[in-house]
Amino acid sequence: MKTKFRIISVAAALAVTISLCPFIFAADSDYDSSTDPLISYSYLEERLSELQEEIESLQSEILSVDNSSLETRLTELESRISDIESEISELAAQLAKIDSGSSSSSSSSGSDFVEVQFTKGDIIYATGGALELVLRSGSAVVVSSSSTLGLCDMSLGIDIMNGGLVVYNHLLLIPKGDDERGIKITSSTASIMLRGSYYVVEG
């Protein structure tokens, strides 16, 4: 009886999560990627679609798990469902920010650095080519959608991975745009010198 109840619980959790995905996409039915400079929007939509497919696959697997490995597999499925729900919530929040106009794009002119002021929670991403950054005041951390790709600290010759602290007055390089690598401001304000094209997801 306990196992049967767990199967029903997992299936219910999957059903709720699946029901969220069409709502997220429906909110953006008028989106036109050809007029939006933020190419990462398409990445978010693609990732949401992948998560929806994975949820549907997990739902099918629940019905086909054999009894000998049922308890172990159900525990694994419950853990994966929790991870998916967290990621969907995070992606939905990012899409909502972009939809509401809370993103802006800009670039420095020529080969010169420009100094820009940011506030807590702002995330700076590169667009197109490489972006160079120097943190002049405040604090920030690296953000990356990959566990194996970070930002290059050219002053030290090392990579700073997701969650790593940005060192004051060090030259950082985001090697290419639109791959979900950037820096997030963690202080109330921060001053950063930038060279290259970038956009900001406001905190």
Side-chain angles (χ1 to χ4, degrees):
M1 182 63 70
K2 179 180 178 183
T3 298
K4 182 177 180 181
F5 177 75
R6 290 186 66 194
I7 293 174
I8 294 171
S9 297
V10 173
L14 284 167
V16 170
T17 306
I18 290 172
S19 70
L20 290 175
C21 293
F23 174 78
I24 293 168
F25 287 113
D28 189 51
S29 58
D30 296 326
Y31 173 73
D32 179 4
S33 62
S34 66
T35 62
D36 193 334
L38 307 181
I39 302 175
S40 65
Y41 196 112
S42 61
Y43 165 82
L44 297 178
E45 286 193 320
E46 180 181 351
R47 183 59 184 147
L48 281 170
S49 179
E50 291 172 353
L51 290 173
Q52 184 176 14
E53 291 177 3
E54 183 174 356
I55 287 172
E56 291 170 352
S57 175
L58 290 173
Q59 189 175 37
S60 297
E61 186 175 348
I62 286 173
L63 302 177
S64 61
V65 174
D66 75 41
N67 291 334
S68 62
S69 59
L70 190 58
E71 286 294 329
T72 299
R73 189 57 185 146
L74 279 176
T75 300
E76 293 172 353
L77 289 172
E78 287 171 341
S79 176
R80 181 57 189 148
I81 290 168
S82 178
D83 291 342
I84 292 174
E85 288 173 338
S86 296
E87 186 170 354
I88 285 176
S89 296
E90 182 177 343
L91 292 176
Q94 291 183 45
L95 285 171
K97 282 187 176 182
I98 295 174
D99 284 338
S100 64
S102 61
S103 297
S104 59
S105 60
S106 186
S107 64
S108 62
S109 58
S111 60
D112 297 331
F113 277 91
V114 294
E115 189 165 0
V116 183
Q117 301 295 317
F118 299 97
T119 57
K120 187 172 185 177
D122 288 351
I123 305 176
I124 301 103
Y125 294 108
T127 57
L131 175 65
E132 295 171 280
L133 312 95
V134 178
L135 179 65
R136 296 288 294 152
S137 67
S139 60
V141 295
V142 168
V143 292
S144 174
S145 60
S146 169
S147 60
T148 58
L149 296 175
L151 304 190
C152 177
D153 184 327
M154 298 178 69
S155 299
L156 290 176
I158 63 172
D159 286 337
I160 304 176
M161 310 309 290
N162 183 53
L165 291 175
V166 174
V167 182
Y168 181 72
N169 275 342
H170 279 210
L171 177 62
L172 266 66
L173 175 69
I174 301 178
K176 63 179 181 177
D178 309 309
D179 67 349
E180 300 303 306
R181 281 185 282 177
I183 66 171
K184 181 176 182 178
I185 307 304
T186 56
S187 54
S188 57
T189 60
S191 176
I192 298 176
M193 298 187 70
L194 305 106
R195 180 163 61 188
S197 298
Y198 66 93
Y199 71 93
V200 181
V201 176
E202 297 176 355

